[in-house]
Amino acid sequence: VPSDETARVPLGDLDPETFRRYGHDVVDWIAGFLEAPERYPVLARVKPGDVRNALPSTAPDGPEPLDRVLADFERIIVPGITHWNHPGFFAYFAISGSAPGILGELLAAALNVNAMLWRTSPAATELEEVVLGWLRKLLGLPAGFDGVIYDTASIATLCALAAAREAAGLDVRERGMSGRSDLPRLRVYTSEQAHSSVEKGAIVLGFGREGVRKIPTDAEFRMDPRALVRAIAEDRAAGWRPIAVCATVGTTGTTSVDPVPAVADIAAREALWLHVDAAYGGVAAILPERREVLAGCDRADSIVVNPHKWLFTPIDCSAFFCRQPEVLKRAFTLIPSFLQTPEGSAVENYMDWGPQLGRRFRALKLWMVLRAFGRSGIEARLREHMRLARLFAEWVDGDPDWQRIAPVPFSTVVFRVRPRDWAPDDSRLAGLNERLLEAVNASGEAFLSHVVLGGQYALRLAIGNIRTEERHVQRAWEILRAEALRLGALPTHVAGGTAAAS
Ligand SMILES: Cc1ncc(COP(=O)(O)O)c(C=O)c1O
């Protein structure tokens, strides 16, 4: 018997009129935000616990009007946001929630599709196939790669390694890995500069961190193929079973490109699964003049490119292409009776392509981004980001108190302040650059991150937000120089103009 109170509470969703009114308010808020994200500091200024302490510790007993919820969004949540959609966001890999992508997310939320089976939304599955076909062609990858959209590159790499294990014919799917005296220890090869997701995948799949051998890199932070050959030979002699190699196109630290053609030769000779992590850099291959960044990838078994990194698509959206989807599916397909459908092999059921059953309708936002900007619009934006990165690199190169640490193949510059009269190995350099980074990030106008390369602490300026213009990059350079001066790192005679301003 319901209590009086329960009986008075309205059932069902908010009525359509209420939705329409607040829907308009929210879209107006978003439009205002996208018009001038600079009104907010790019790096959140809250202290640990500030947001939590501003919120009640229990959910409300009764319904609250959305006015109040939206007011609290503005008052409590927004100040605790680090603004990835800010043109002064230069940390990690800068990303974009572009307008068409945001609209795609909104529609996907409204439809609330679970794209696990073809029949649970035929359009979601078929749009995913079509839009990945478009992306494959934009990237210049040959036919024969079939695609799936995962949430992240980390999961894509995990799935690639699961497929590699399946391809090795060890019957791990049925018999597992533990307690098997017939199973050699499995090894995966990747460079010292590879993303930590390779190791994480190895942890999850039971290879362990020791199952990942990190291959040394050359002076430009690219995998050394001769060292790869030596490592494989050593491992085979010591009883390891090499199963996969993961090359990177656009490493996290310096955006270096491993020599994929040479690595592909080795993988073919050694019968290893070749996975290419092109999460960030792969997108550059959309430019005809940069096709070479994916050279050799036509021979990869799998490749991941993240539209949510440098293709203006809201997080999360990671495109995984596989030349042997039947192996990937063999690793993951497990169909309980309640998920059996009559369509059979006439359709793809994307739940078979990975560990998760429920899947978001991510293809919609990617489709909307690709259509709203078109190939030419995407190319123009990528070219501009690379131009801005080259410009920044020129400013660094032209100033004797600054030093570039790595080449700039894409839109990320790795550099540090090194006062002209300090030796390159001066032990104060790391501390100086750390303090500089902190000071720049406190400005609210720019947010950069750092990387440690061969023991050297360096700063990274990554351009990738769709709203970043030359003036934002110029401003970052001005702030860097002003803060370096304030920290006593620059001779005072450079106090005046900057290369950018002069
Ligand atoms: C080269 C590379 N691979 C993979 C990843 C992981 O990406 P995700 O966050 O999509 O898992 C990153 C993240 O920056 C990366 O730089």
Side-chain angles (χ1 to χ4, degrees), residues 230-458:
R230 281 196 300 274
I232 295 170
E234 268 172 31
D235 282 355
R236 286 203 196 280
W240 290 87
R241 169 79 190 267
I243 62 163
V245 54
C246 174
T248 311
V249 171
T251 58
T252 311
T254 57
T255 72
S256 300
V257 178
D258 285 340
V260 178
V263 174
D265 288 343
I266 298 164
R269 223 166 38 233
E270 300 279 353
L272 307 182
W273 184 282
L274 172 58
H275 174 61
V276 178
D277 175 356
Y280 158 73
V283 165
I286 292 176
L287 298 172
E289 69 273 22
R290 296 306 309 277
R291 276 283 156 85
E292 92 288 349
V293 303
L294 290 184
C297 292
D298 52 331
R299 289 187 282 148
D301 295 287
S302 57
I303 173 166
V304 60
V305 176
N306 268 8
H308 79 223
K309 276 194 168 42
W310 196 17
L311 197 55
F312 318 118
T313 307
I315 193 165
D316 52 0
C317 187
S318 185
F320 180 73
F321 296 98
C322 188
R323 254 189 328 134
Q324 303 178 67
E326 67 287 355
V327 177
L328 179 73
K329 286 192 270 185
R330 217 163 60 214
F332 287 113
T333 303
L334 190 65
I335 311 173
S337 57
F338 67 93
L339 292 173
Q340 278 164 10
T341 56
E343 288 83 19
S345 60
V347 301
E348 266 329 316
N349 292 315
Y350 271 125
M351 70 167 188
D352 297 338
W353 290 59
Q356 67 181 105
L357 172 62
R359 306 177 66 254
R360 278 159 41 68
F361 186 6
R362 300 189 186 93
L364 190 60
K365 59 186 171 183
L366 180 56
W367 183 57
M368 291 182 66
V369 167
L370 295 181
R371 290 191 64 181
F373 298 135
R375 186 187 43 74
S376 59
I378 288 165
E379 285 184 9
R381 287 167 175 83
L382 295 176
R383 277 195 195 103
E384 175 64 1
H385 285 174
M386 290 198 260
R387 184 188 74 81
L388 294 176
R390 280 196 304 274
L391 192 61
F392 184 86
E394 278 168 25
W395 298 336
V396 170
D397 291 348
D399 191 316
D401 295 308
W402 297 79
Q403 180 190 12
R404 195 149 54 78
I405 304 290
V408 183
F410 302 108
S411 63
T412 300
V413 186
V414 185
F415 65 102
R416 64 177 180 173
V417 63
R418 179 167 73 81
R420 61 191 76 180
D421 48 351
W422 290 26
D425 57 351
D426 192 307
S427 62
R428 295 168 299 171
L429 277 170
L432 172 64
N433 279 278
E434 259 178 82
R435 287 194 300 282
L436 175 62
L437 182 65
E438 210 168 303
V440 170
N441 291 345
S443 72
E445 291 185 76
F447 177 32
L448 280 71
S449 57
H450 74 279
V451 59
V452 177
L453 292 166
Q456 271 185 3
Y457 184 98

Side-chain angles (χ1 to χ4, degrees), residues 31-45:
F33 169 71
L34 296 181
E35 209 165 20
E38 293 104 313
R39 94 178 72 132
Y40 300 106
V42 51
L43 180 62
R45 291 192 166 140

